[in-house]
Amino acid sequence: MLGIRAGGLPQRLWSLWLLDKHLDRAIKNTCLQAKRYTARAASAKQEIDISEYPPERIRNFSIIAHIDHGKSTLADRLLEQTGVISKTGKNKQVLDKLKVERERGITVKAQSASMFYEYKGKKYLMNLIDTPGHVDFNYEVSRSLAACQGTILLVDAAQGIQAQTVANFYLAFGEGLQVIPMLNKVDLPTAEPERAAQQIESTFEIDSSKILHISAKSGMGVDQVLPAVIENTLPPEGSIDQPFRALLFDTWYDKYVGVVCLMAIKEGVIKRGDRIVSSHSKTKYEVTEVGIMYPDPKPTTSLQVGQVGYIICNMKSVSEAHVGDTFYKDKHPVEPLPGFVPAKSMVFAGVFPLDADEFSKLDESIQKLTLNDSSVSVHKETSAALGQGWRLGFLGTLHMDVFRQRLEEEYNANILITAPTVPYKIKYRDGTVKFIKTPADFPDGTTMQEYVESTMEPFVLATMIFPKEYLGQMLELCTTHRGEIQNHTFIDESRVMLTCRLPMSDIVTDFFDKLKSKSQGFASFDYEDAGYDDSQLVKMEVLLNGEPVDALAAVMHKSNVVMVGRDIAKRLKEVIRRQLFDIIIQTAANGKIVARETVKQLRKNVTAKCYGGDITRKMKLLNKQKEGKKRMKKFGKVELPQEAFLGILSKKD
């Protein structure tokens, strides 16, 4: 008889069923391997061979300009001219790939694209890098310029030179790049190309006869751009015969292949299958794919000296990629490249998850996003009111706002960001200096009196360019924000360039909004670090029934305490719900109360049923209620809900 299994199926039929299952699995695995082999073969066939482009026929260049002067539009026209994208008329900011860039209409992330262009019978490989124009993303510009030998300085013919135009020019000049000036939007009715050219000549000492006049939107004069780049930009240096050496200047995370590295090849050649080593960590990686941005990733057979492209090398952890790192081939060590000066955070803010259960998910999201934006500094912190979170450092308030929006849109994060602060310095009498990045680190009153010699706050050197009729309002704006006027010069008969030193803490609040308001939108603004100066700093605390709320504490100049303290007390009164006892809201600095508001208690009408009788009966009930309120206030605690923090922090000062 056939053996019967416990499940009721005969032993022989069970064996046949298992055999059939194993065969089916083997066939599926074989088909899967065949598909993978076919995919690799197809990928190999699609690879572009760019080994025929020696360094002398390669040009690496970028476009720098003030915000909204037409950098991305010019990049679109160049990509159309070289056939990288079709001329459909629907191409608008093709290189602005992030959702936040398209929504805001600004470039926040430098993007590269390779083009093939024929000039005087020779084929050239043109590597273009489109850079941001806002001061908060200057680190992106500086890293992009390190991979270039030339740059296009684009100026709006209607607006002329703006503050960021000046900053970006000197950034490129400091890198030793060849600057090619161009006037854009010359076909606008309000364009004044002669005046703008005169500004460029007087400010940067560039011959106005060498300035190209173009219109990126209509395409007028765009056919002269690439020939000008070829003629005026030096080819990259290096030799293909030298050992491989590459500079990592950008990274991003791909959920399918891990970390993608964008590199500038300085020496030698790299291809799929090679093993490379990081100079920073000494970790070895096997290269699985190399290619160029066209403008999307396009595999190539190799990358060689002078070229800019991406490398995929099975780098899975975001902590392994270090912008500015040098890579070389295994067993062929080389001298590391200088790399980049680390970004200096100018603004700090606390980031906390609205739901404590999402802490791990948000931690992973922040790591992946900082891989794509290496200028953000990350440190974990804990708040008694908000729980576990992070203290993030940014280059400015717009940078902070864009980072928040990218977290919410790209990673579906629900977060709370505290008010921005700047890093302060405390100098003690024993000579030690301590950086204060959070109000919680600021010393208390006793320590300030006995051990602290001085407090210092960061200052910036601000540059403003505006029409001359707004000079009075701009001078008044600077002085009311504790600014020191350095100088002001006329760059032409109608525009003024004003330079002054301002405290960074005033820049991160409402200075830019007031600047645009007082100049009716005509003023442009740029700033750079100007070191630390002594300042009368105090820590303002918020007290609820005598208990401090650490998340609402702030460090500020002594002159701002009363105004800010009253404002916060009033706003807290609006968002705190009434309790069964009085809630006393106070703001204090240096042990003194500077503002007070009271949220009145909810009271039950205990005398409602007393229609008559002696007054002592009512007084007995009222006194009993009063004693109960005292006990409740003694043991009751006030907890600020998340909605209260959102209501306070979302309102502008």
Side-chain angles (χ1 to χ4, degrees), residues 19-36:
L19 179 62
D20 182 64
K21 186 175 181 180
H22 287 307
L23 287 173
D24 185 56
R25 186 179 299 173
I27 292 171
K28 286 183 178 179
N29 289 336
T30 305
C31 292
L32 184 60
Q33 291 177 1
K35 285 182 180 179
R36 289 175 179 171

Side-chain angles (χ1 to χ4, degrees), residues 313-331:
C313 54
N314 287 326
M315 190 181 293
K316 298 300 181 184
S317 174
V318 295
S319 61
E320 298 178 53
H322 300 273
V323 172
D325 195 3
T326 301
F327 282 80
Y328 58 89
K329 282 187 178 179
D330 189 19
K331 300 180 181 179

Side-chain angles (χ1 to χ4, degrees), residues 400-624:
M400 179 186 76
D401 197 35
V402 167
F403 190 89
R404 173 200 59 78
Q405 188 174 344
R406 291 188 66 185
L407 266 180
E408 292 175 349
E409 292 181 349
E410 298 177 23
Y411 298 95
N412 297 319
N414 296 313
I415 59 174
L416 170 67
I417 293 189
T418 61
T421 60
V422 298
Y424 298 101
K425 272 185 182 180
I426 302 294
K427 186 177 181 181
Y428 292 90
R429 291 189 176 131
D430 60 359
T432 59
V433 176
K434 181 181 178 182
F435 279 92
I436 304 297
K437 296 180 181 179
T438 66
D441 298 334
F442 199 83
D444 56 24
T446 305
T447 306
M448 289 286 292
Q449 292 179 0
E450 297 182 1
Y451 301 103
V452 174
E453 179 181 330
S454 63
T455 56
M456 294 174 281
E457 68 174 322
F459 277 72
V460 297
L461 187 63
T463 303
M464 290 164 275
I465 298 178
F466 48 84
K468 63 180 181 181
E469 54 264 29
Y470 300 107
L471 178 59
Q473 291 97 314
M474 294 298 104
L475 292 174
E476 180 187 1
L477 178 65
C478 292
T479 53
T480 54
H481 283 78
R482 301 185 287 130
E484 301 173 7
I485 307 299
Q486 301 290 312
N487 59 16
H488 64 276
T489 57
F490 284 81
I491 59 177
D492 61 16
E493 66 278 0
S494 62
R495 296 178 69 80
V496 181
M497 181 163 64
L498 174 66
T499 306
C500 69
R501 294 183 82 251
L502 287 165
M504 185 65 195
S505 57
D506 283 43
I507 299 294
V508 303
T509 53
D510 57 355
F511 182 84
F512 189 73
D513 292 337
K514 290 181 179 178
L515 176 80
K516 288 296 183 182
S517 175
K518 289 182 178 293
S519 66
Q520 296 182 347
F522 286 105
S524 60
F525 178 71
D526 178 65
Y527 62 85
E528 60 184 37
D529 184 26
Y532 282 77
D533 274 355
D534 289 348
S535 182
Q536 292 182 320
L537 300 176
V538 295
K539 178 182 178 181
M540 190 194 72
E541 293 183 306
V542 177
L543 308 175
L544 295 181
N545 284 348
E547 295 292 329
V549 182
D550 62 338
L552 297 179
V555 178
M556 63 189 67
H557 191 263
K558 187 177 180 180
S559 61
N560 297 331
V561 170
V562 175
M563 180 184 66
V564 176
R566 289 176 178 173
D567 181 58
I568 289 181
K570 287 180 180 178
R571 284 194 274 166
L572 271 175
K573 185 179 180 180
E574 295 175 2
V575 298
I576 292 180
R577 293 190 295 266
R578 295 174 66 188
Q579 306 288 334
L580 294 175
F581 52 89
D582 286 347
I583 300 175
I584 300 172
I585 305 167
Q586 296 170 310
T587 53
N590 286 338
K592 297 180 180 179
I593 303 299
V594 296
R596 170 179 168 143
E597 295 285 346
T598 303
V599 179
K600 288 296 183 179
Q601 60 189 350
L602 291 169
R603 294 186 61 184
K604 180 182 178 182
N605 188 2
V606 294
T607 62
K609 295 182 180 181
C610 293
Y611 295 106
D614 189 50
I615 187 64
T616 56
R617 185 181 176 195
K618 290 185 178 181
M619 294 304 300
K620 181 180 179 181
L621 291 172
L622 290 173
N623 289 332
K624 186 177 180 181

Side-chain angles (χ1 to χ4, degrees), residues 67-68 70-73 93 95-98 100-102 104-111 130-134 137 140-141 398 402:
I67 188 171
D68 201 31
K71 298 180 301 299
S72 299
T73 306
Q93 289 80 43
L95 295 184
D96 290 346
K97 301 177 181 179
L98 301 177
V100 63
E101 292 178 318
R102 296 188 174 275
R104 293 174 178 257
I106 59 174
T107 303
V108 302
K109 180 67 182 172
Q111 300 287 352
D130 183 23
T131 62
H134 196 278
F137 306 102
E140 288 284 324
V141 180
L398 177 63
V402 167

Side-chain angles (χ1 to χ4, degrees), residues 161-210:
I161 288 179
Q162 302 290 304
Q164 197 61 27
T165 311
V166 179
N168 284 339
F169 171 81
Y170 287 111
L171 203 60
F173 187 77
E175 291 283 343
L177 304 184
Q178 181 66 38
V179 179
I180 307 166
M182 296 185 187
L183 285 177
N184 191 23
K185 306 182 183 179
V186 295
D187 57 344
L188 290 179
T190 57
E192 298 179 87
E194 293 78 14
R195 182 178 65 87
Q198 185 61 37
Q199 289 179 3
I200 294 175
E201 185 171 12
S202 61
T203 307
F204 304 132
E205 299 181 355
I206 296 176
D207 188 359
S208 59
S209 62
K210 297 181 180 179

Side-chain angles (χ1 to χ4, degrees), residues 67-121:
I67 188 171
D68 201 31
H69 276 208
K71 298 180 301 299
S72 299
T73 306
L74 177 58
D76 291 343
R77 298 292 86 76
L78 295 178
L79 293 174
E80 289 177 357
Q81 182 184 350
T82 54
V84 177
I85 58 178
S86 60
K87 299 180 181 180
T88 60
K90 298 180 181 179
N91 297 318
K92 292 184 179 181
Q93 289 80 43
V94 173
L95 295 184
D96 290 346
K97 301 177 181 179
L98 301 177
K99 184 179 179 182
V100 63
E101 292 178 318
R102 296 188 174 275
E103 288 180 353
R104 293 174 178 257
I106 59 174
T107 303
V108 302
K109 180 67 182 172
Q111 300 287 352
S112 65
S114 297
M115 304 171 287
F116 300 100
Y117 182 70
E118 187 170 345
Y119 178 66
K120 292 184 178 180

